[in-house]
Amino acid sequence: MTPMCRGGKDQLVIAEKIYAIFDQECQRTTRPRRMIADRLVQLAQSGQDFSIDDLWQDLRQQEPHLGRATVYRSVEMLVNASLLDRIDFADGTHRYRVCGGDEHHHHLTCTACHRVVDVDICIAPELFAQLSKLTNFSIEGHSLTLYGHCAVCRGSAS
Ligand SMILES: [Zn+2]
Ligand SMILES: [Zn+2]
Ligand SMILES: [Zn+2]
């Protein structure tokens, strides 16, 4: 199988999903949540990853009273709903990305520049079956993050 980079997401679908999750969790979509949703749709389109503080600082330009906790809770909600992916870096920091939750995939991260690439490869099912047998666990989920140096960073480092 050829590892694939995943392309841009359908912004309307993403927006609808975000609103649906907010409505479900909060009864109504407030102005701050609408702002968060709009910004996430933009980020989905550009494929850009972000930290809670990036998002908060961005939104505070429009809404100076927006609390960090509101942004944090919204992000958590969307991560739990698999609309956002939390990406962990080798140095212990993490960022988020709007991956949409449709396709199973993993992330390849550059330890030098923190570039993130979505890849649709996974561990072979036979390996999970083996592990399950070996440990007597019923394996219900997994996360996998691949680290390395991207072409740009290898070029400048060598
Ligand atoms: Zn992802
Ligand atoms: Zn790099
Ligand atoms: Zn997987």
Side-chain angles (χ1 to χ4, degrees):
M1 181 172 66
T2 319
M4 293 253 303
C5 292
R6 301 160 74 250
K9 320 291 178 295
D10 186 330
Q11 47 172 314
L12 273 175
V13 173
I14 299 269
E16 270 168 28
K17 282 185 181 172
I18 293 172
Y19 287 135
I21 288 156
F22 283 163
D23 286 345
Q24 201 180 322
E25 301 285 333
C26 329
Q27 273 85 48
R28 68 204 174 92
T29 303
T30 56
R31 181 178 135 79
R33 294 212 194 276
R34 205 157 29 240
M35 281 172 41
I36 292 170
D38 290 346
R39 182 70 188 124
L40 290 175
V41 169
Q42 288 171 5
L43 288 164
Q45 258 186 303
S46 63
Q48 213 184 319
D49 53 81
F50 57 92
S51 66
I52 302 257
D53 285 318
D54 291 343
L55 187 58
W56 183 42
Q57 297 303 345
D58 266 7
L59 295 170
R60 277 214 304 179
Q61 290 172 14
Q62 305 166 52
E63 178 79 55
H65 298 296
L66 179 67
R68 189 181 186 280
T70 303
V71 176
Y72 181 82
R73 273 197 305 273
S74 303
V75 166
E76 286 286 286
M77 234 177 252
L78 297 172
V79 169
N80 290 337
S82 298
L83 239 106
L84 297 188
D85 282 359
R86 179 186 150 127
I87 295 155
D88 291 286
F89 294 100
D91 64 5
T93 60
H94 67 269
R95 292 173 74 80
Y96 298 90
R97 175 182 272 213
V98 192
C99 291
D102 290 333
E103 297 153 63
H104 183 78
H105 67 282
H106 295 290
H107 302 107
L108 176 58
T109 65
C110 177
T111 52
C113 70
H114 281 193
R115 184 188 309 271
V116 180
V117 178
D118 286 3
V119 287
D120 67 354
I121 55 160
C122 192
I123 296 169
E126 305 83 71
L127 265 174
F128 284 121
Q130 262 179 45
L131 252 176
S132 176
K133 224 170 158 182
L134 207 69
T135 58
N136 197 21
F137 265 62
S138 104
I139 297 172
E140 283 141 15
H142 66 274
S143 64
L144 173 72
T145 307
L146 304 153
Y147 306 114
H149 280 86
C150 72
V152 175
C153 293
R154 282 202 323 279
S156 57
S158 59

